[in-house]
Amino acid sequence: MGYLKGFMDFNRKDQDVRDPIERIKSWEEYVIRFSDQDLKEQSSRCMDCGTPFCHTGAEWDGAYVGCPVNNFIPEWNELVSEENWEEALRRLEETNNFPEFTGRVCPAPCEGSCTLAINDDPVTIKSIENEIIERGFDNNWVEAKVPENRTGQHVAVVGSGPAGLAAADQLNEMGHRVTIFERDDRPGGLLMYGIPNMKLDKETVDRRIDVMKKSGIEFTCNTEVGVDITREELNREYDAVIMCTGAQDPRDTPIENRDSQGIHFAMEYLTAATEALETDPKDTPITAEGKKCYRNWWR
Amino acid sequence: MRLETDGKMMTGRDVVKAALLGAEEYGFSTAPMVILGCILMRACHLDTCPVGIATQNPELRKKFEGNADHVVNYMRFVAEEMREIMAKLGVRTLDELIGRTELLKVSHKKEAHPKARQLNLEPILHHTDAAWLSRERVHINEYNDGHLDKTVIIPKVETALERGEKVELDLPIENTNRTVGTTLGFEVSKRFGEEGLPEDTIDLRFTGSAGQSFGAFVPQGVTMRVKGDGNDYVGKGLSGGKIIFQPNLPSALHRMEEVIIGNVALFGATSGEAYINGGAGERFAVRNSGVHAVVEGVGDNGCEYMTGGRVAVLGGIGKNFAAGMSGGIAYIWASDEKEIKKKCNRELVLFERLDDHDEINELKEMLTKHVKYTGSKRAKHILNNWEASVKQFVKVIPEEYKAMLTKEKEQEKVVQ
C-alpha cells in the first residue's frame, strides 16, 4: 500500500487482450502485459487490510478461499507500487514455486476473497503476480536453486505436472537428488498438454523446466511407471517415491448421442491440439466436456 | 462503585460468565462494530475506512451499509442466550447472578493446557460476602429515568416547547446531574429544527456544581446559566445555545483565573456563545468551529484544531495553545506578551495587533456581553480603559485563515 487512497482514486483495470481478428491468426498468448503506469495504479489499490483474506488459503464448503499457497499478496503489492520489483520477486518466491503458471492460469481465489471486493472490484492480484515473475525473467533475477549440500537421498517423482514439479523443486532445494518420470515426450503434464498455448505459452513451461534442470533435477520422459518401469523397481532404487499422477480418469457425460462421432474428452483433445501445434495445426476436433474446454475450443 | 468488564464480549454466555465473576456492567465493541459492517481494516486513523464507518469522506460514507436495527437484533440474541443460561441455572434476574462464582466450574481443558495448568484461579473464583453481592444496584436505565431534563426541566418548559413562549427557571444542580440540557435541546430541535428558538426563550438558571457535559449540544434559544462551577465537557458540541458561568463566591474570595469549569469545554462546538467568569481547564475550545467564547484563562492545548469562531482569553494560557488551529481567531489579553507567544504552538498561526475597526468592535461587543452576563471585574476594567487595553491584546490567527478572510473581503469589494 504505497499510496493510501489508491483504491479510492483508481478503478480496477484488467489486462488488455489481443483483438480476436488478430488472435485467430496464431496460437500465441492473447493477454497483453500491463504498462508501468497501470501497474503502479493497480498495485496501489491494495489496502493492506488489517485483516486480509487474499493470502489466507482456507477450504470453505469444499471450495478454496484465498491463496492456496499463501502468497504474501499485500507485501508484494506494496513493493510493486514502490517499483521495487526485485524484492517483490523474492517475496513471491518465498511461497510460490511457479508464479508464471499461477499468474496466468490460476482461478485467483485471492481476488475472490479480496476485501476490496466487498463493495468494489478486487485488486488485479493475478496480473501483478505474473508481472513480478516476468520481470524477474526479463532481468535474469530468476536463478536456479542449486543446494549447497546434498543429503545423499534420492527421490523419484512420478508425473511432471504442477504438483510433481513443485514437489521436485522443494525436495531439490532441501538437498535431495530428484528424478522425475513422465510418460509423455515432454515434461509439464497438464501445463504442457492440458492448458492451451494461448493461455500458457509452452515456451514459458520450457523456460521453467530449464531452470529446474540447471538446479540439478533430472527428467526422464517417455517412461510410464507400471509399463516401462515397475513400482517395485522404483521402490528398490529410490529412497522415496512420490506419486503425482493427477486424476487421469475423465468424467463421462451420460447424455443422448454421447456416442456420436467427434465427441472427445477434454484432455484427449487438448493434448492432440498441443501436439498438433508442435507439428501442423490444421484440424481441430470438436470437444464437449467442461465449460472451460468448450471455451478454449471456441477461441 | 460498579464493576465494569469489557474485552471480547461476544455472546450471552460471555456476559453470564462475566456476571458470575462479579461484573455489573458489560462493554461490547468489536461485535457491534462488525455488525455495522466493520471489517477490522485497522485504518480508523487514516480516513480511508473502505466500509464508510471511521470516516467523514462522503464518497466512503456512501459505502456504509450498517443499520442500527441490526445491532438491536444482535443485543436481543445476546439477551436471549443469557435468559436460556439463566433459566438452566435457576436464576431469574441478572442481579441474582452477579458474583455467584459457585455456579462456575473449571473446565477440564485447564489441566490439559501446559500454560493454563499453572494458573491459580482461586482468587477470581473467591466467593465474596453476601452483603456485598445483594447490595442495591443502580441501573443505567434508572439513572436515565431520574435525569434532570426528563424529570424537571422538560415538564416545566412545556409552554416554551409548545408555543415558543419565554420561560425562566431557577434550579439547584449537583455534579451527579450529567448532560443537563441535552435532552431538552433534542426536544427543541425536534420541534423547531435547526433554527431553534429566539434568543433566551428558555432561560435556565442553576446554582451549584454542574456535572459532566453540561449544556452539551444545546441549540439556539436555550440559555444555561450557572452560579457555581462546571465539570468537564461544558458545552460540548454546542449548537447555537448560550452558556454562562459565574462563581458562587463572595467576590472578595474569587480570583479571576481560578478554574471554574473543567477540561475540554466547547469541544467540537459549532455555534452559540459562552461566557466564563473564571478559568477553564485543559483543551478549551478544541475543534471549535463557530462558537464565540470569553474566558478568563485556559489550561494546556487551548484552541487546538480550532477551525472557526472567536475565543477571547482575558488571562493566562497553558502550553501548546493554537496547535493545529486552522481557522477562527483567538484574542489573548496579555500581561506578558513574550510569555504568551512562547506558549503558543506556532506551526500554523501568526501573531498580530488589533487594528481593524470592525474587528475591535466585535471584540468589544463580546466583552460587554461578558460583563452583562457574568459581572466580570476584569472585563469591566478592560472596557473602562479600552483605548489602552485594546493594544494589549495579542491576536492569534492561522495564516491560511487570514489569507482566506482577505480574499473574501476583496471579493466583497468587487461585488459592491
Side-chain angles (χ1 to χ4, degrees):
Chain A
M1 187 180 59
Y3 172 51
L4 283 177
K5 298 186 173 175
F7 73 99
M8 291 154 72
D9 290 359
F10 311 118
N11 290 325
R12 180 189 165 105
K13 186 184 164 187
D14 285 303
Q15 282 172 283
D16 283 334
V17 292
R18 291 197 289 137
D19 189 332
I21 298 296
E22 289 299 313
R23 226 188 288 170
I24 55 168
K25 293 178 190 162
S26 78
W27 293 96
E28 283 161 28
E29 285 188 5
Y30 69 99
V31 180
I32 301 168
R33 281 167 71 172
F34 269 142
S35 70
D36 285 0
Q37 185 61 27
D38 286 340
L39 284 159
K40 208 169 163 54
E41 289 179 6
Q42 294 303 313
S43 58
S44 75
R45 290 185 75 235
C46 176
M47 305 187 289
D48 191 20
C49 309
T51 313
F53 294 89
C54 53
H55 65 186
T56 319
E59 207 179 315
W60 189 298
D61 216 6
Y64 249 102
V65 291
C67 179
V69 296
N70 304 103
N71 280 343
F72 303 135
I73 295 165
E75 287 187 27
W76 41 255
N77 274 339
E78 179 170 358
L79 290 163
V80 166
S81 75
E82 290 163 356
E83 295 178 331
N84 190 350
W85 291 95
E86 192 168 358
E87 189 57 33
L89 177 69
R90 299 295 165 234
R91 295 307 289 157
L92 180 53
E93 282 179 331
E94 283 287 311
T95 56
N96 193 340
N97 299 73
F98 313 124
E100 69 272 35
F101 304 153
T102 52
R104 284 174 167 84
V105 296
C106 173
C110 53
E111 294 185 17
S113 48
C114 174
T115 307
L116 195 49
I118 291 173
N119 50 25
D120 202 336
D121 296 320
V123 178
T124 52
I125 301 168
K126 186 171 136 182
S127 307
I128 292 167
E129 175 186 6
N130 196 43
E131 192 61 28
I132 294 171
I133 186 68
E134 284 308 313
R135 291 199 180 211
F137 276 108
D138 291 349
N139 293 294
N140 292 320
W141 291 329
V142 181
E143 289 157 1
K145 287 173 262 179
V146 186
E148 277 180 33
N149 301 304
R150 287 287 176 185
T151 59
Q153 305 281 315
H154 197 175
V155 183
V157 176
V158 181
S160 67
L165 291 179
D169 201 40
Q170 291 293 110
L171 290 166
N172 182 64
E173 204 182 335
M174 289 162 85
H176 306 304
R177 201 178 136 206
V178 184
T179 302
I180 301 179
F181 290 91
E182 170 57 51
R183 66 176 178 178
D184 279 321
D185 58 335
R186 299 168 69 187
L190 202 68
L191 299 166
M192 182 55 75
Y193 288 118
I195 301 162
N197 200 69
M198 46 84 183
K199 285 200 156 185
L200 176 62
D201 197 306
K202 298 313 147 201
E203 283 175 16
T204 308
V205 183
D206 287 338
R207 186 175 65 180
R208 177 57 70 177
I209 304 283
D210 285 345
V211 173
M212 292 177 74
K213 281 179 182 164
K214 271 183 210 156
S215 65
I217 297 166
E218 295 153 32
F219 288 86
T220 310
C221 292
N222 296 314
T223 307
E224 189 171 354
V225 173
V227 179
D228 302 310
I229 181 168
T230 64
R231 181 68 204 265
E232 286 70 35
E233 282 174 275
L234 283 184
N235 282 351
R236 225 176 13 248
E237 284 174 37
Y238 296 88
D239 296 299
V241 179
I242 300 184
M243 304 299 286
C244 299
T245 54
Q248 299 289 339
D249 267 349
R251 193 177 64 190
D252 208 343
T253 315
I255 53 169
E256 214 180 317
N257 296 329
R258 163 67 184 86
D259 52 357
S260 301
Q261 264 203 327
I263 296 176
H264 301 269
F265 285 117
M267 279 305 291
E268 284 173 14
Y269 158 69
L270 289 166
T271 306
T274 303
E275 274 170 353
L277 186 65
E278 298 299 317
T279 49
D280 183 18
K282 242 196 335 246
D283 299 322
T284 43
I286 292 172
T287 183
E289 186 219 345
K291 199 171 67 182
K292 217 160 192 176
C293 293
Y294 177 75
R295 277 208 328 243
N296 284 341
W297 166 78
W298 184 248
R299 287 194 173 102
Chain B
M1 192 189 93
R2 269 195 301 253
L3 182 63
E4 188 180 315
T5 42
D6 56 32
K8 277 292 170 294
M9 289 279 176
M10 294 277 184
T11 61
R13 199 182 160 83
D14 293 338
V15 180
V16 170
K17 277 190 206 166
L20 289 173
L21 287 169
E24 295 163 303
E25 287 188 358
Y26 318 91
F28 289 69
S29 44
T30 306
M33 285 289 288
V34 168
I35 286 153
L36 287 173
C38 170
I39 53 170
L40 312 173
M41 192 67 196
R42 313 227 188 283
C44 315
H45 58 305
L46 300 173
D47 197 25
T48 59
C49 179
V51 287
I53 296 174
T55 177
Q56 297 297 328
N57 182 322
E59 283 308 305
L60 291 173
R61 291 283 300 162
K62 275 185 207 159
K63 300 185 175 192
F64 179 69
E65 287 181 4
N67 184 337
D69 288 344
H70 296 164
V71 180
V72 173
N73 204 28
Y74 162 72
M75 289 297 176
R76 193 164 285 140
F77 281 136
V78 170
E80 190 63 40
E81 193 189 359
M82 286 169 66
R83 284 169 60 100
E84 283 168 15
I85 298 171
M86 282 158 67
K88 273 189 211 160
L89 294 173
V91 168
R92 300 174 64 139
T93 66
L94 191 58
D95 280 358
E96 291 170 54
L97 210 62
I98 293 167
R100 296 275 302 278
T101 49
E102 79 272 14
L103 294 174
L104 282 165
K105 203 169 67 185
V106 177
S107 165
H108 65 276
K109 287 180 189 160
K110 177 182 179 285
E111 284 310 309
H113 193 279
K115 282 183 179 170
R117 201 165 55 201
Q118 298 172 37
L119 291 173
N120 174 15
L121 299 180
E122 200 46 50
I124 62 165
L125 293 176
H126 177 76
H127 201 68
T128 325
D129 64 275
W132 167 257
L133 291 178
S134 58
R135 79 199 157 94
E136 209 175 301
R137 292 191 168 81
V138 180
H139 291 269
I140 219 71
N141 293 341
E142 291 165 15
Y143 172 81
N144 275 341
D145 292 344
H147 195 276
L148 202 59
D149 281 28
K150 281 189 185 167
T151 54
V152 181
I153 301 172
I154 295 171
K156 285 194 177 175
V157 300
E158 233 158 55
T159 49
L161 290 175
E162 272 161 25
R163 300 189 287 274
E165 283 172 18
K166 234 171 140 74
V167 179
E168 283 178 20
L169 211 57
D170 283 292
L171 290 168
I173 191 165
E174 287 178 32
N175 64 3
T176 47
N177 298 126
R178 295 185 195 169
T179 55
V180 172
T182 307
T183 313
L184 166 69
F186 156 72
E187 295 292 343
V188 171
S189 301
K190 200 168 72 174
R191 289 172 169 81
F192 303 98
E194 209 175 320
E195 283 178 20
L197 289 161
E199 194 175 352
D200 300 331
T201 303
I202 299 175
D203 195 345
L204 307 174
R205 299 150 191 266
F206 300 93
T207 311
S209 291
Q212 285 179 349
S213 304
F214 176 82
F217 307 100
V218 164
Q220 168 83 34
V222 180
T223 299
M224 304 190 59
R225 304 167 198 258
V226 177
K227 210 168 198 183
D229 49 48
N231 217 298
D232 294 346
Y233 311 109
V234 165
K236 174 170 70 180
L238 190 67
S239 307
K242 197 192 292 177
I243 289 181
I244 297 159
F245 269 84
Q246 65 182 103
N248 190 18
L249 288 169
S251 57
L253 286 178
H254 173 58
R255 281 168 48 231
M256 286 153 205
E257 290 185 23
E258 204 160 294
V259 170
I260 69 161
I261 60 169
N263 296 330
V264 217
L266 302 175
F267 177 87
T270 56
S271 57
E273 295 166 42
Y275 303 94
I276 317 295
N277 184 359
E282 330 278 19
R283 302 190 286 289
F284 183 81
V286 170
R287 292 193 185 278
N288 171 27
S289 63
V291 167
H292 286 216
V294 184
V295 63
E296 313 223 333
V298 296
D300 293 344
N301 309 308
C303 296
E304 194 183 17
Y305 305 126
M306 195 163 108
T307 60
R310 305 284 180 268
V311 172
V313 185
L314 312 180
I317 59 171
K319 65 182 181 191
N320 203 32
F321 189 86
M325 176 175 167
S326 61
I329 307 174
Y331 307 99
I332 306 165
W333 189 57
S335 50
D336 183 351
E337 198 183 317
K338 263 192 193 158
E339 183 65 18
I340 295 291
K341 287 184 179 172
K342 218 166 81 186
K343 281 183 169 167
C344 282
N345 180 315
R346 297 168 170 229
E347 261 173 48
L348 300 178
V349 296
L350 302 170
F351 301 112
E352 291 185 350
R353 290 270 157 224
L354 276 160
D355 46 20
D356 185 81
H357 182 71
D358 293 342
E359 196 177 359
I360 290 172
N361 276 350
E362 190 188 50
L363 179 61
K364 195 172 177 182
E365 177 68 24
M366 279 167 73
L367 297 190
T368 312
K369 278 189 182 173
H370 188 53
V371 173
K372 179 180 142 198
Y373 292 134
T374 71
S376 162
K377 279 185 179 175
R378 185 171 286 193
K380 222 180 269 176
H381 169 80
I382 294 170
L383 289 170
N384 287 342
N385 306 289
W386 186 242
E387 290 302 315
S389 310
V390 83
K391 289 178 192 142
Q392 291 163 337
F393 274 97
V394 177
K395 173 181 168 187
V396 182
I397 182 166
E399 205 173 339
E400 298 276 332
Y401 187 70
K402 190 190 167 189
M404 192 185 82
L405 289 184
T406 318
K407 217 173 198 179
E408 265 178 17
K409 260 190 184 167
E410 276 168 14
Q411 273 170 354
E412 268 171 35
K413 271 181 198 163
V414 172
V415 171
Q416 280 166 2

